[in-house]
Amino acid sequence: MRYIAAYLLLQLANPEATPSAADITKVVSAAGIDVDSDRIDKLFAAIEGKEIAQLIAEGKEKLASVPSGGAAPAAAAAGGAAAAPAEEEKKVEEEEESDDDMGFGLFD
C-alpha cells in the first residue's frame, strides 16, 4: 500500500510525468521506511499500460463489493433484552470516569 500511495502522490505532484521506481524509492525512504524493490517491481508490472483514472475506477469497483456495516443489524434483531444490560454498563462506566482530573483542578 505504501508504494501505491507514493506512486499516487508523485503522480499528483506532477501529472505530466510518470513516476519511476527510483522516485518511489526516494519518497518511501524519506518517510523512514525500508524499501522492498521487489514490491515496487510488482507494482509497475500490475499498472503497466494503465492510467491512474482507470486504476482508481477499478479500485472503487473492488471496494464496492466489500461488505460493510458489520453486526449492527444483527444486534438490533436480537431484541431489546440485550440492550438493557448494555445501558447499565454505560452508566457504570460513566460513574467511574467522573474523576478524570486525577485530583488536579483546572483553576487550582
Side-chain angles (χ1 to χ4, degrees), residues 23-96:
D23 294 333
I24 292 175
T25 301
K26 195 181 294 185
V27 169
V28 173
S29 296
I33 300 171
D34 293 331
V35 177
D36 184 358
S37 60
D38 292 336
R39 287 188 151 188
I40 294 174
D41 294 339
K42 287 179 184 178
L43 170 66
F44 278 103
I47 64 173
E48 186 176 354
K50 296 181 181 179
E51 293 184 22
I52 296 296
Q54 179 186 3
L55 294 171
I56 292 173
E58 288 175 10
K60 283 184 180 179
E61 289 176 17
K62 289 182 180 180
L63 284 176
S65 66
V66 174
S68 62
E87 289 177 14
E88 291 176 17
E89 290 177 0
K90 287 182 183 178
K91 290 179 184 176
V92 171
E93 288 180 37
E94 288 175 7
E95 291 173 8
E96 292 174 2

